[in-house]
Amino acid sequence: MNRFAAFALTAALALTLAACGDNREVGSVGVDWTGNDIAIDALADPQVDGVVCHLAYFNRSFIDRVSQGNWFEDPSYSALDCSVSGPITIGKISTRAGGEEIFKEGRSLIWKSLRVTRIYDAANNSLIYLAHAREIQQGSGKMSLSVIPLNTEQVVWSNGAPAAAAAQ
């Protein structure tokens, strides 16, 4: 396949993928003339009703991908804020120190992903949400954090509260 045909095929594929809709997206802000955007998604925690997280991240444009030569990767930068959107009902969640992943989206063709992890802080009776990039090598320190204190809200644990939370 000649070089022009490969370029045309890659461009068509990139435009097709960019046109796919995302029902999580609540907004998008253009940041420059090349079409780069900051997208904002609303993420519901599948095991915690009444908490919604808003995740903002950078989407590279077709023009930026062509000019930079890096077709298959978006930057790792993200911002996260979570808030109470109604009565909190907590289902079966992990209480281990590493928490559990509630969201994952690829930021490159293979190696990089943007993730949101929920961690239960028993000592402070809080849910911590951490947005971070995961890479195969040269891990990124780019992260964002949001905390939902549970002692100030009406909280129902559908499977029973963990021991530290029940004592409070």
Side-chain angles (χ1 to χ4, degrees):
M1 185 178 334
N2 68 29
R3 184 173 265 166
F4 178 75
F7 175 77
L9 180 62
T10 304
L13 179 61
L15 289 173
T16 302
L17 291 175
C20 294
D22 187 352
N23 61 355
R24 294 183 318 257
E25 187 173 305
V26 295
S28 181
V29 177
V31 296
D32 61 24
W33 67 270
T34 65
N36 290 319
D37 295 329
I38 296 174
I40 303 167
D41 289 356
L43 307 173
D45 186 328
Q47 293 297 323
V48 181
D49 290 337
V51 171
V52 64
C53 295
H54 288 90
L55 178 66
Y57 55 91
F58 191 80
N59 269 333
R60 290 178 56 215
S61 69
F62 175 74
I63 294 171
D64 191 46
R65 291 175 192 280
V66 170
S67 66
Q68 298 293 324
N70 187 350
W71 284 86
F72 305 110
E73 186 171 14
D74 281 323
S76 300
Y77 299 109
S78 65
L80 176 76
D81 189 40
C82 301
S83 59
V84 176
S85 61
I88 297 177
T89 303
I90 301 175
K92 185 178 180 182
I93 67 169
S94 172
T95 56
R96 63 183 179 82
E100 66 186 301
E101 190 175 281
I102 66 163
F103 172 79
K104 177 175 125 179
E105 181 176 87
R107 303 304 288 156
S108 72
L109 189 59
I110 299 172
W111 309 115
K112 187 193 306 184
S113 61
L114 176 60
R115 297 167 186 237
V116 175
T117 301
R118 177 196 345 95
I119 300 170
Y120 175 63
D121 177 358
N124 296 296
N125 197 25
S126 299
L127 295 176
I128 301 167
Y129 291 88
L130 173 68
H132 60 98
R134 176 164 290 169
E135 300 181 39
I136 271 294
Q137 62 183 12
Q138 298 176 355
S140 174
K142 299 168 187 164
M143 68 192 101
S144 186
L145 184 75
S146 187
V147 178
I148 302 289
L150 298 176
N151 53 357
T152 61
E153 301 293 333
Q154 192 69 0
V155 178
V156 174
W157 291 81
S158 59
N159 295 324
Q168 294 182 350

